[in-house]
Amino acid sequence: MAVYTQVSAEALSAFLAKFDVGDLVSAKGIAEGVENSNYLIETTRDRFILTLYEKRVAADDLPYFMALLGHAAAAGQPVPGAIADRSGALIHELEGRPACLIEFLPGVSLSHPTPAQAMNGGKALGGLHAALADFSGVRSNSLGVEAWRPLLDRCGAAMDAITAGLFAQVSSALDRVEHDWPRDLATAPIHADLFPDNVLMLGDRVTGLIDFYFACSDVRAYDVAVMHTSWAFDAKGVALAPEVGRGIVDGYAASFGLSDAERAALPVLAEGACIRFLLTRAWDWLNTPADAMVTRKDPIAYLKRLDWYGENGHSAFA
């Protein structure tokens, strides 16, 4: 989450007047994350999240996201639904941006998940995949493996300003990952971004899965790999206790199941996930406006993860 687009109190009050949610009490910009502009809204009746969708989220994709969330919620998954206005509309415009008012879910996101929390996080991902197994919507992964080379080329030699030799190092790793990428695994609707800050918990219990704006149809096991790369390390890219990473995989396998082929592919899927998040972080690092209320993510943390999987990937998923 982040704030790129500022919303005045007057504009926000007028926006909320279209809904049956009470009157505005307070609005606070949320600085974490890098994708959209987000505000925590409190009214005289409840709390909500207001999201304004920035350039990386296409307005034409919003119906897909809303349908997927509605499907998951109907299946009993802990996901936040969009709030309809009095006319029944879910998707709106505010300050020249597509916007949605989203249900607020209780819980906190984790900085250093424990093995038990990782296990339950993996189970929650498995439950989500089970709930979406019969979802008919389709959206290609705009940041899937085919997009990484063009994004690397767009970043170009400017990446070396982040750290010397970064462009060449990522290019070499991408050569290997593209060659080894699995082409015959099951595909399905996936979250594609289930970082710890997109999972809300109270104690060890998962209370919410949020931020579905990279959801797409792709290799289902890639979702497990993305989760492993983000949960099994600290913010600087240092590996946590191995029980944390194992908790993700074991929890998912217990909840949904992993085939032998999927388990064998997890090391290269994890390396691919590292490249994907390294590249988007590098792009944002080089291109974030100076006046944006955004906490930029460190690309080097994912370079360290990429190196770690190159050395430890097979043992990590054995």
Side-chain angles (χ1 to χ4, degrees):
M1 296 183 175
V3 175
Y4 294 91
T5 301
Q6 301 294 325
V7 181
S8 68
E10 294 80 5
L12 184 52
S13 293
F15 177 79
L16 292 175
K18 298 188 296 183
F19 299 80
D20 188 20
V21 296
D23 298 325
L24 178 65
V25 173
S26 67
K28 179 181 180 182
I30 303 172
E32 291 81 3
V34 294
E35 303 305 332
N36 302 308
S37 295
N38 291 274
Y39 292 84
L40 174 61
I41 304 299
E42 184 174 355
T43 74
T44 51
R45 295 189 185 178
D46 211 339
R47 287 182 169 185
F48 304 91
I49 299 295
L50 170 66
T51 298
L52 287 78
Y53 300 97
E54 304 292 347
K55 293 180 180 179
R56 193 172 280 164
V57 176
D60 289 346
D61 286 333
L62 290 176
Y64 170 86
F65 299 139
M66 298 302 117
L68 183 147
L69 284 167
H71 189 96
Q77 294 301 297
V79 301
I83 307 298
D85 70 6
R86 291 187 180 90
S87 71
L90 298 174
I91 303 167
H92 308 270
E93 183 174 303
L94 181 60
E95 300 292 357
R97 300 284 190 270
C100 289
L101 192 65
I102 307 292
E103 178 187 6
F104 177 85
L105 296 180
V108 296
S109 56
L110 308 172
S111 298
H112 295 87
T114 67
Q117 290 167 333
M119 174 76 77
N120 287 334
K123 289 180 179 178
L125 178 61
L128 178 67
H129 283 180
L132 295 176
D134 60 348
F135 178 63
S136 60
V138 176
R139 176 181 178 267
S140 62
N141 188 354
S142 59
L143 286 170
V145 60
E146 294 83 4
W148 300 338
R149 182 72 61 181
L151 181 53
L152 174 65
D153 291 339
R154 287 173 66 196
C155 290
M159 292 176 65
D160 292 345
I162 300 172
T163 191
L166 182 58
F167 179 86
Q169 188 171 350
V170 176
S171 182
S172 177
L174 183 53
D175 287 342
R176 182 181 68 256
V177 167
E178 288 174 328
H179 180 270
D180 295 341
W181 195 254
R183 306 291 177 180
D184 55 354
L185 295 181
T187 59
I190 65 172
H191 185 284
D193 192 34
L194 204 60
F195 278 53
D197 58 1
N198 288 331
V199 177
L200 304 177
M201 304 191 81
L202 290 174
D204 292 341
R205 179 171 62 91
V206 174
T207 58
L209 305 175
I210 63 174
D211 202 354
F212 279 76
Y213 304 115
F214 291 110
C216 59
S217 303
D218 207 334
V219 173
R220 187 166 53 210
Y222 177 65
D223 233 3
V224 182
V226 167
M227 197 171 184
H228 195 282
T229 68
S230 57
W231 284 63
F233 300 82
D234 68 15
K236 295 182 178 180
V238 177
L240 302 175
E243 290 81 5
V244 176
R246 282 200 295 269
I248 294 292
V249 178
D250 292 347
Y252 180 84
S255 176
F256 186 85
L258 270 173
S259 70
D260 291 342
E262 288 173 325
R263 192 179 289 271
L266 284 174
V268 70
L269 293 173
E271 287 189 272
C274 289
I275 291 172
R276 176 263 192 255
F277 289 103
L278 190 161
L279 287 173
T280 52
R281 287 183 175 197
W283 176 262
D284 291 335
W285 192 271
L286 297 169
N287 293 281
T288 296
D291 59 349
M293 181 183 166
V294 178
T295 302
R296 294 191 302 179
K297 304 292 187 180
D298 182 8
I300 302 306
Y302 260 94
L303 179 64
K304 293 177 180 177
R305 290 168 168 87
L306 179 62
D307 291 341
W308 188 91
Y309 285 109
E311 297 174 1
N312 303 284
H314 290 284
S315 61
F317 298 112

